[in-house]
Amino acid sequence: MDQLVIRGGRPLRGKISISGAKNAALPLMAASLLTEETLTLDNIPALDDMTTMSDLLTSLGAAVEEVEGSNRGRTLKLTARPPLSTVAPYEIVNRIRASVLVLGPLLARTGQATVSMPGGDAIGIRPIDQHLKGLEAMGAKIELKGGNVIASAPGGLKGATIRFPFVSVGATENLLMAATLAKGTTIMENAAREPEVTDLAQCLVAMGASIHGIGTECLVIQGVDALHGANHTVMPDRIEAGTYAVAAAITGGELVLDGANVEHLGSVFESLAKAGVNISNGLGKVRVSHPTGRCRGFDVITHPFPGFPTDMQAQFMALMAVADGASLITETIFENRFMHAPELARMGADITVHGSSAMVRGNPRLRGAPVMATDLRASVCLVLAGMAAEGETVVNGVYHLDRGYEKLEEKLRAVGADISRTQDDRAIVP
Ligand code: EPZ
């Protein structure tokens, strides 16, 4: 089992290039199922989740080819020529929940789709009822059998009006893709406005889809008979950028985040600035710094975009764990997303969890300790805390990190972090 070994107390200084966004690349890859022509995606991050999605698409009969591309990220050519399998195999689907994103496009393209129910994970039960209700509203017949969702629409999907009771990124993406080939018009109200949804919508328009209201909570999709191929560059990863902004602040250093899109980070940077972090931006680069690593305590509540993102909650908690003062962090999106709190407490953090809120009282002297990562963002939270702590921190469960952060230790080492990956208890000397 890989571990990361971190020795704290070193301010980070330098430039970090921001990779393509995992949570944009996954639905974009699934969108390749909507056409028999080739979809070329640039700036794909080299992450385990991309490999799993490639494996899934290949198992359905699509061709996924990596080609020489631009100097940012990987370039994939995806071609889903008929005949396509309509069964997404359990042994692949259970590796990433985002596999459910093939359900909508596969059903819209072939009239049939069998996808294993994605299990929950550490942060919550994560049901897909809104995905299924939306597809039923579009005329699909949905059967749950043997742990699979069996969806059929032999005569094709039809446009419908879908009003989401709450914001769901995945349901918005699944139904948006399905609606592009439905007969008639689909109106989606209370749709997610996350930049990853906008990135997907813009790619679908490039593929010939008719979508209005992109970036708003009301999407109107006029179904078309077929989509064609396109070229699309994956947006930069706003959560990776926010994570490294916290890394600069918590270590009392200064980082330039190269390639970050500041329009995606409004609420994150607003909260960091109110906590005392210095942020300046220009020409696609964002400079983030803090003189001491001890910010002011500041309260945040997670909300759907453009609110403070739930995927930055754990990282912010690490920053507040060493802040000057107290902070109240409230998680409104997932029911169990404070698993990093007890691990931070092992390092001396003073955190009290009350239901969906956590009171964090800053302690400037965290101490390194062996800790266990429970999910993707919790793992990077522990790396951040380890860089601010005295002594050595060993983060176990590093496979979580490899799902969502491209070359994390290389990027951090290049700006001064003392971090190495061990296998079989030996540190690999960089
Ligand atoms: C996406 O997950 C992201 N994953 C998550 O990022 C992110 O935290 C989440 O959106 C919220 O922004 C990807 O894009 C691959 P939701 P998703 O549907 O689509 C409930 C990370 O760390 N819900 O917006 O699964 C759900 O349980 C990951 O990169 C239903 O009840 O999230 C949750 O409480 C973690 N029924 C809330 O809604 C449904 O049918 C929001 O979920 C769908 C969702």
Side-chain angles (χ1 to χ4, degrees):
M1 173 83 79
D2 283 7
Q3 300 169 320
L4 285 179
V5 180
I6 301 126
R7 292 175 190 83
R10 298 162 61 114
L12 302 186
R13 296 194 189 294
K15 182 172 80 170
I16 290 187
S17 288
I18 301 304
S19 303
K22 162 182 89 81
N23 289 350
L26 287 166
L28 285 166
M29 290 174 72
S32 65
L33 293 170
L34 290 166
T35 176
E36 64 181 17
E37 297 184 14
T38 298
L39 174 62
T40 301
L41 297 174
D42 200 8
N43 198 29
I44 293 273
L47 295 170
D48 292 352
D49 275 11
M50 302 305 116
T51 305
T52 304
M53 181 59 82
S54 293
D55 293 346
L56 175 55
L57 294 171
T58 304
S59 75
L60 294 172
V64 181
E65 180 194 1
E66 182 166 2
V67 296
E68 275 304 308
S70 69
N71 60 353
R72 293 194 82 111
R74 300 161 60 205
T75 297
L76 296 182
K77 285 189 175 294
L78 304 102
T79 313
R81 277 199 199 89
L84 292 175
S85 161
T86 62
V87 179
Y90 171 76
E91 62 275 7
I92 298 181
V93 171
N94 81 340
R95 280 162 41 192
I96 50 166
R97 305 191 65 267
S99 304
V100 74
L101 293 173
V102 303
L103 179 61
L106 195 56
L107 181 61
R109 175 84 184 279
T110 68
Q112 183 71 35
T114 299
V115 179
S116 164
M117 291 281 281
D121 58 16
I123 65 177
I125 295 171
R126 309 202 53 196
I128 59 167
D129 54 303
Q130 296 305 313
H131 300 238
L132 303 183
K133 283 177 183 165
L135 290 174
E136 284 179 322
M138 296 170 78
K141 178 177 173 295
I142 302 285
E143 186 186 358
L144 302 183
K145 192 174 175 186
N148 290 318
V149 174
I150 303 170
S152 60
L157 296 171
K158 59 184 186 347
T161 295
I162 298 165
R163 293 183 186 85
F164 291 111
F166 49 82
V167 171
S168 164
V169 172
T172 300
E173 291 168 342
N174 230 337
L175 298 171
L176 173 62
M177 288 189 279
T180 60
L181 295 179
K183 295 181 181 63
T185 302
T186 298
I187 299 171
M188 293 164 61
E189 297 177 352
N190 200 23
R193 297 167 52 193
E194 270 65 9
E196 295 77 13
V197 175
T198 295
D199 206 35
L200 173 64
Q202 288 167 341
C203 178
L204 291 169
V205 167
M207 294 167 71
S210 168
I211 304 172
H212 294 88
I214 294 175
T216 76
E217 72 280 2
C218 181
L219 295 171
V220 180
I221 305 101
Q222 182 66 41
V224 294
D225 293 336
L227 295 187
H228 51 71
N231 295 336
H232 183 79
T233 298
V234 178
M235 61 174 260
D237 194 318
R238 61 190 172 108
I239 304 302
E240 184 194 27
T243 300
Y244 290 130
V246 171
I250 202 171
T251 59
E254 179 173 279
L255 289 177
V256 173
L257 309 178
D258 185 18
N261 182 335
V262 289
E263 290 175 11
H264 298 163
L265 286 150
S267 58
V268 173
F269 285 169
E270 187 183 320
S271 299
L272 291 178
K274 286 180 179 171
V277 180
N278 305 313
I279 298 169
S280 60
N281 64 74
L283 299 177
K285 291 182 170 56
V286 185
R287 186 178 300 272
V288 183
S289 65
H290 192 276
T292 66
R294 295 203 64 205
C295 299
R296 285 191 295 274
F298 181 77
D299 297 354
V300 292
I301 302 177
T302 64
H303 281 297
F305 191 86
F308 189 91
T310 176
D311 292 348
M312 279 296 303
Q313 180 257 103
Q315 299 91 310
F316 194 79
M317 186 180 285
L319 184 63
M320 293 297 104
V322 297
D324 186 5
S327 319
L328 186 65
I329 299 176
T330 303
E331 171 60 60
T332 69
I333 308 293
F334 290 106
E335 67 268 28
N336 189 38
R337 203 169 197 177
F338 287 141
M339 304 276 277
H340 40 283
E343 296 305 308
L344 287 172
R346 288 174 50 77
M347 302 172 70
D350 181 353
I351 303 169
T352 308
V353 174
H354 295 284
S356 62
S357 290
M359 172 57 75
V360 184
R361 294 177 177 85
N363 168 9
R365 303 176 64 79
L366 291 188
R367 299 177 307 282
V371 289
M372 177 58 75
T374 51
D375 60 84
L376 170 55
R377 307 304 172 182
S379 44
V380 83
C381 153
L382 299 171
V383 171
L384 293 167
M387 290 191 292
E390 294 166 5
E392 180 177 279
T393 296
V394 178
V395 180
N396 295 284
V398 173
Y399 63 92
H400 290 294
L401 265 174
D402 295 339
R403 290 191 45 218
Y405 286 90
E406 187 179 42
K407 299 182 186 136
L408 178 106
E409 61 260 37
E410 288 90 336
K411 290 186 178 184
L412 287 173
R413 235 186 345 250
V415 291
D418 181 342
I419 181 171
S420 55
R421 182 179 287 245
T422 66
Q423 284 161 344
D424 302 329
D425 298 330
R426 281 191 311 280
I428 299 171
V429 177

